[in-house]
Amino acid sequence: EADFQYLSPLRKAEGRVEISDEIADLAWSNVVLYPAGHFSRQIRMRPTLKLPAGWKYATALETASQKGNVVRFEETPLNTLVDSPVFAGSHFKRVDLSTGPENTVHLDVFADAEEYLAMTPAELEVHQKLVAEAAKLYASHHYRHYDFLLLLSDKVGGVGLEHHQSSEDGHPKDYFTKWEDGVGGRDLLGHEYTHSWDGKFRRPADLWTASFDVPMRDDLLWVYEGMTQYWGNVLTARAGMRTASETRDVMARVAANFDISPGRTWRPLVDTTNQETMSHRGPVSWVSWQRAEDYYTEGMLIWLDADTKIRELSGDRKSLDDFAKLFFGVDNGSFVTHTYTLEDVVAALNAVQPFDWAGFLRTRVYQVAPQTPKDGLLRGGYRLTYNDTPADWVKRAYEKDDAVADLSTSLGLSVGKDGMLVNVWWGSPAFNAGVTPDMQLSAIDGEQYTPDVLRAAVRKAESSKTPMQLLLKRGDRFVTVSVDYHGGLRYPHLERVAGTPDRLDAILAPSGGPSVVQ
């Protein structure tokens, strides 16, 4: 018998807050004790959970019995137990997203208060369509039932974590009640759901281990996470959780950020898969130069490149959808992990559409690639361009209440609340003038800082040869720097290239939607 305590973080400085008076995110891995020297799937566990009175719970585990607030779960292998967290709380709503009795899926929502559980019929419909679109894409599933464990809270920390038969998903408390403000994060559920196929069922061979004390190797995370990032965004669009236009805005922002991040001139994408080992997902200074976990979003652009290449080579008869069915759609109903290597990925791509896929991936992933991979955008019928107006949803999300100014693709900096700099891009006009992220912006050209004042100064400098004067504070000292920038406000967008196939629109359209138009 072992008796011990698990002390969860109480403040963000200590880690992600997991428990409040209303919600608990319970991970068995934090409290499990098991014998060494055995495959985790051969160790059998009978877990019991005692909850506060009146609380509800949700999990992928099967319930054996419940008496009052004590829940006993069916015997399960250790690897399944660790992969099956429990969400519990006092404000709970379960929504059925199933496509039929053979594909049972629930959205289990826990909120800070009852009012945040409210969901409109339209919001319910797009979540149901997300499951339906995934079923069409993969034509299989590998779970007894799937549970989106969704917390809506400003108290318990946000989370996005994949599991084979469930996912831990976190959004702000007003996810449903202020639906129009959440465009940027809406791919979370589609991303984590995709991991049931890509990452949990099909897993890179070096990421599979027999027990939890064996280190993993991460070099195929650009497939595990990069392709998942791609499908998460595509499924979100196909389901109507984002419009095609909003999804193109997301892709434009990703491509633009890589265009102003020179770290790619020295560090290949595959090396960023080592970042978890190096920094344990801690913050990275000068991220545009060091690079962090770029395999997520650059991986998305690479897989868009592959999708449009397949479509081009096949005369738009084949696509990455065919790869998804071939690669992830095997062994329908099986829970047993099916591992793969890079050679398996290449072979499956060639089975869909013959091409030098080994060379395609080598030059984009394993070699230094200074240029942002934008061929997929162009082949999809769009080019990256800039104008002086951000998309409406971007303005609402990132400049809400006029507290944030994102001038990353112009001055090369972004400013948060109270003028504190959020980031400065390496090699940008701000960087070259000596601005660093530990500064606070106090004034521009003698006028007290506000986001509007900063944007107005950038517009004014466009027709002037006079550098902007920024008054900045670092610690207890003030410094004035001259920023010689006259390029105006620049916000990224995707612009349709006339006379080219609109493959990107076809990719983002609901299944059975319009085909490619030349």
Side-chain angles (χ1 to χ4, degrees):
E1 181 175 311
D3 185 3
F4 61 94
Q5 298 171 327
Y6 169 69
L7 303 179
S8 67
L10 299 176
R11 301 170 299 174
K12 291 181 180 179
E14 299 166 349
R16 190 177 74 85
V17 177
E18 303 161 346
I19 299 174
S20 72
D21 289 338
E22 296 83 20
I23 299 173
D25 177 359
L26 306 173
W28 299 103
S29 56
N30 290 330
V31 296
V32 71
L33 185 68
Y34 60 95
H38 302 272
F39 274 31
S40 60
R41 66 171 180 258
Q42 294 176 340
I43 302 171
R44 309 293 294 184
M45 310 288 280
R46 296 189 186 94
T48 299
L49 177 64
K50 183 177 181 180
L51 294 168
W55 276 33
K56 307 296 184 182
Y57 70 95
T59 178
L61 295 174
E62 303 297 331
T63 299
S65 66
Q66 181 173 3
K67 187 175 182 180
N69 59 342
V70 177
V71 183
R72 300 186 186 280
F73 297 104
E74 291 183 2
E75 183 178 279
T76 184
L78 173 62
N79 63 326
T80 300
L81 176 68
V82 168
D83 197 41
S84 304
V86 178
F87 272 18
S90 55
H91 306 290
F92 168 68
K93 182 177 186 177
R94 165 169 278 192
V95 179
D96 188 7
L97 305 181
S98 307
T99 59
E102 77 292 342
N103 185 27
T104 302
V105 181
H106 290 112
L107 179 65
D108 302 311
V109 189
F110 296 84
D112 283 347
E114 204 71 18
E115 63 193 88
Y116 299 114
L117 297 173
M119 185 187 313
T120 67
E123 291 163 0
L124 170 60
E125 182 181 13
V126 295
H127 287 79
Q128 291 172 328
K129 285 182 177 179
L130 175 64
V131 175
E133 288 291 345
K136 293 175 184 177
L137 176 63
Y138 299 115
S140 67
H141 63 270
H142 307 281
Y143 46 78
R144 185 176 290 110
H145 56 84
Y146 189 92
D147 287 81
F148 290 98
L149 305 177
L150 176 61
L151 63 86
L152 305 181
S153 177
D154 292 341
K155 301 176 182 179
V156 176
V159 62
L161 187 60
E162 69 272 18
H163 302 284
H164 200 146
Q165 302 184 75
S166 63
S167 57
E168 294 175 81
D169 306 302
H171 277 294
K173 63 184 180 183
D174 54 9
Y175 173 70
F176 290 120
T177 56
K178 291 187 178 179
W179 176 257
E180 67 281 359
D181 289 344
V183 174
R186 284 202 203 132
D187 60 301
L188 175 64
L189 270 65
H191 180 104
E192 304 305 347
Y193 190 33
T194 288
H195 271 314
S196 182
W197 292 267
D198 183 2
K200 288 299 181 178
F201 170 61
R202 299 264 6 218
R203 189 179 309 171
D206 287 346
L207 276 167
W208 181 90
T209 60
S211 60
F212 296 113
D213 60 343
V214 177
M216 297 179 178
R217 296 178 62 85
D218 299 338
D219 64 302
L220 285 177
L221 281 177
W222 55 273
V223 184
Y224 183 120
E225 292 290 5
M227 186 181 288
T228 295
Q229 188 76 4
Y230 178 67
W231 285 126
N233 279 282
V234 168
L235 289 172
T236 299
R238 289 180 181 178
M241 296 180 74
R242 278 196 197 123
T243 66
S245 176
E246 290 165 345
T247 304
R248 292 196 299 269
D249 289 334
V250 170
M251 292 181 173
R253 288 172 60 83
V254 168
N257 181 65
F258 284 126
D259 272 356
I260 59 173
S261 298
R264 57 187 315 102
T265 62
W266 70 270
R267 191 178 186 190
L269 180 66
V270 69
D271 194 48
T272 70
T273 64
N274 298 315
Q275 196 64 37
E276 282 84 350
T277 304
M278 295 168 60
S279 66
H280 303 284
R281 290 206 148 168
V284 175
S285 63
W286 297 111
V287 66
S288 59
W289 179 240
Q290 289 201 65
R291 308 193 79 178
E293 297 163 17
D294 287 355
Y295 55 83
Y296 275 89
T297 49
E298 187 169 340
M300 176 183 70
L301 294 180
I302 289 172
W303 287 111
L304 172 63
D305 193 354
D307 195 347
T308 56
K309 189 65 178 179
I310 293 171
R311 291 168 187 260
E312 178 186 63
L313 291 171
S314 67
D316 294 304
R317 292 185 298 272
K318 296 287 186 179
S319 71
L320 202 65
D321 290 51
D322 298 287
F323 173 90
K325 290 182 177 64
L326 176 66
F327 201 68
F328 301 113
V330 297
D331 299 338
N332 183 35
S334 173
F335 302 166
V336 179
T337 303
H338 192 339
T339 61
Y340 64 84
T341 63
L342 174 60
E343 290 72 24
D344 295 326
V345 175
V346 170
L349 286 167
N350 276 311
V352 172
Q353 176 60 52
F355 182 61
D356 180 17
W357 292 110
F360 176 95
L361 296 173
R362 182 175 61 253
T363 57
R364 289 160 175 79
V365 178
Y366 292 91
Q367 296 176 1
V368 172
Q371 301 302 315
T372 303
K374 293 182 288 191
D375 289 350
L377 297 173
L378 192 59
R379 205 180 292 115
Y382 287 85
R383 68 164 62 92
L384 181 64
T385 187
Y386 297 85
N387 63 32
D388 61 1
T389 305
D392 288 342
W393 71 267
V394 173
K395 188 172 183 178
R396 287 197 307 271
Y398 296 95
E399 299 180 358
K400 185 165 49 175
D401 301 326
D402 207 31
V404 175
D406 179 8
L407 283 82
S408 54
T409 47
S410 53
L411 285 182
L413 55 78
S414 59
V415 192
K417 292 182 178 180
D418 302 320
M420 298 301 302
L421 297 192
V422 177
N423 203 354
V424 177
W425 274 256
W426 194 274
S428 68
F431 173 91
N432 292 332
V435 180
T436 57
D438 58 335
M439 290 177 164
Q440 181 180 16
L441 181 56
S442 300
I444 307 100
D445 294 334
E447 189 172 353
Q448 183 174 336
Y449 165 77
T450 69
D452 281 343
V453 167
L454 178 59
R455 286 188 285 265
V458 172
R459 284 191 291 266
K460 181 180 177 181
E462 193 171 6
S463 57
S464 169
K465 295 183 179 180
T466 304
M468 284 178 285
Q469 303 299 309
L470 304 186
L471 178 63
L472 297 132
K473 183 180 181 183
R474 179 190 286 136
D476 57 0
R477 298 180 64 86
F478 286 88
V479 59
T480 298
V481 300
S482 296
V483 182
D484 197 14
Y485 172 75
H486 307 281
L489 296 172
R490 299 176 76 247
Y491 296 100
H493 301 272
L494 292 186
E495 178 183 73
R496 185 75 175 91
V497 180
T500 62
D502 60 346
R503 295 190 179 96
L504 181 54
D505 289 340
I507 289 169
L508 301 179
S511 298
S515 57
V516 173
V517 176
Q518 300 292 328

